Amino acid sequence: MAPPPLAALRTFEVAARHLSFTKAAAELHVTQGAVSQQIKQLEANLGFALFHRGARGLSLTEKGEALAETAHSVFRRLFDKVEELQQPGDGGILTVSASPSLAVKWLIPRLGRFHALHPDIDVRIKPSGLRIDVEAEAGTIDMAIRFGQGPFPGLDATVIMHETVFAVCSPDLLTKGLPLRRPSDLENHTLLHSESTRMEVNSMANWEVWLGILGVPGVDPGQGPSFPNSYMLIQAAIHGQGVALTWATLADDDLRAGRLVRLFDRSIEGSMAYFVLTTKAAARKPKVAAFRDWLVAEGRSFARETARDGAEAEDGVAS
């Protein structure tokens, strides 16, 4: 029996991924009728049905599911290899997806150091805080930096750094407001919240979780305003509107500039970390490897600095 045409298998892979002939046609730049015809011819060639066609749309048959899984893997490997072989060299444009808060507060202040080491690599930041399908976006980004726990099946995932959470406020609030010598003093202060962490009941940056871990009584963890993202939360703290819980990476630039001060001698390391996520093929590109390795080195350096600053904060409180 002759093998089915490769073009028909590719059409099937796209249609199975979308469960839609119309969406498959748009991706392949052909008509919906052409997709339908190729699928019919492929089913005739194979001798079994690939899709159930019902009033609610398409669904894969059992054999269709098995073939779709293999087809996706094979075409992904093929396209990854083509992309790898097309790379012009060590330099070029490197597009990195990162959350706006991480990009503004941690990544961008350090990019000059990378450029000094690799002046031939032009780093372009694509800000996005949304979950991303790295494989599907492989044509528009080279890598993504995301906060999470993993695992990340099918991707090359490298830990940059784990996160630490502590309380911060403006210098004026610390020196001119009511005392802030110990966590129980928060009873007399406004707590600032990020909407995202307020919704995450297990987040170390959630006031209820943080106060519970430290066993601080008498402080209402729900009081105080909320802000849409961590960047706005930190800006509110800088302007003296209250006390914020923040991840170390997001507060670092403002702490060093004196716009924020770190409170108490209490910091908690969370279970999540920042990861560099790429496709297997992208991980082999020299420019991707260079930026990934630089991020790992920066993460290690930052972890040492954070630990040192935390020890100094404890000494300051103790004195």
Side-chain angles (χ1 to χ4, degrees):
M1 180 181 294
L6 187 61
L9 287 171
R10 172 60 176 157
T11 299
F12 164 69
E13 187 275 327
V14 178
R17 179 155 36 86
H18 291 294
L19 287 178
S20 167
F21 289 172
T22 302
K23 291 180 180 179
E27 180 174 328
L28 295 168
H29 304 289
V30 297
T31 66
Q32 189 269 351
V35 171
S36 179
Q37 186 63 28
Q38 284 216 51
I39 296 299
K40 288 180 180 178
Q41 291 175 354
L42 179 61
E43 289 176 324
N45 180 283
L46 295 171
F48 54 81
L50 296 168
F51 293 98
H52 295 298
R53 297 161 174 84
R56 296 185 178 182
L58 296 176
S59 63
L60 289 164
T61 64
E62 184 177 349
K63 289 184 177 180
E65 287 183 1
L67 184 60
E69 182 178 349
T70 300
H72 178 73
S73 174
V74 168
F75 280 109
R76 183 70 267 166
R77 288 173 57 197
L78 176 63
F79 295 149
D80 282 349
K81 178 56 67 175
V82 171
E83 182 183 3
E84 178 187 343
L85 296 174
Q86 286 179 329
Q87 294 308 305
D90 294 349
I93 296 172
L94 179 75
T95 304
V96 181
S97 172
S99 72
S101 295
L102 180 71
V104 170
K105 292 295 187 180
W106 191 85
L107 182 56
I108 291 174
R110 290 166 168 77
L111 275 183
R113 295 203 282 264
F114 178 78
H115 182 70
L117 294 171
H118 302 278
D120 56 330
I121 300 177
D122 181 8
V123 178
R124 308 280 178 89
I125 305 298
K126 186 175 182 180
S128 173
L130 303 175
R131 294 184 64 180
I132 190 170
D133 185 336
V134 176
E135 286 192 337
E137 296 289 332
T140 59
I141 65 169
D142 294 291
M143 64 169 60
I145 302 174
R146 286 296 183 269
F147 191 48
Q149 288 180 296
F152 303 97
L155 297 178
D156 187 273
T158 303
V159 174
I160 305 173
M161 56 193 165
H162 289 274
E163 263 292 17
T164 301
V165 178
F166 45 75
V168 296
C169 72
S170 73
D172 284 347
L173 185 64
L174 182 64
T175 57
K176 299 176 183 178
L178 292 170
L180 270 171
R181 289 187 290 269
R182 55 187 63 86
S184 58
D185 291 334
L186 290 168
E187 182 180 8
N188 302 312
H189 287 269
T190 299
L191 304 184
L192 306 177
H193 306 262
S194 165
E195 288 180 5
S196 59
T197 53
R198 200 168 199 168
M199 297 293 290
E200 296 171 6
V201 295
N202 295 319
S203 172
M204 299 299 180
N206 179 306
W207 275 112
E208 185 172 4
V209 174
W210 194 82
L211 292 167
I213 290 174
L214 297 184
V216 181
V219 179
D220 179 5
Q223 60 92 359
S226 291
F227 299 89
N229 55 51
S230 298
Y231 177 75
M232 292 184 183
L233 169 73
I234 290 172
Q235 289 303 114
I238 288 171
H239 290 286
Q241 295 174 20
V243 180
L245 280 180
T246 182
W247 303 104
T249 49
L250 304 185
D252 182 63
D253 196 42
D254 294 308
L255 288 169
R256 299 192 184 285
R259 293 183 290 268
L260 289 175
V261 290
R262 183 169 170 171
L263 296 174
F264 321 128
D265 60 343
R266 308 295 177 88
S267 60
I268 300 173
E269 183 171 309
S271 59
M272 297 196 295
Y274 283 103
F275 287 82
V276 175
L277 304 176
T278 69
T279 63
K280 299 292 186 182
R284 295 190 288 269
K285 300 178 187 177
K287 63 181 180 181
V288 171
F291 196 68
R292 178 197 61 215
D293 294 346
W294 175 79
L295 283 171
V296 170
E298 286 289 326
R300 288 173 180 166
S301 176
F302 179 70
R304 290 193 295 269
E305 293 169 1
T306 301
R308 184 186 66 238
D309 293 344
E312 290 175 356
E314 291 184 21
D315 292 342
V317 172
S319 61

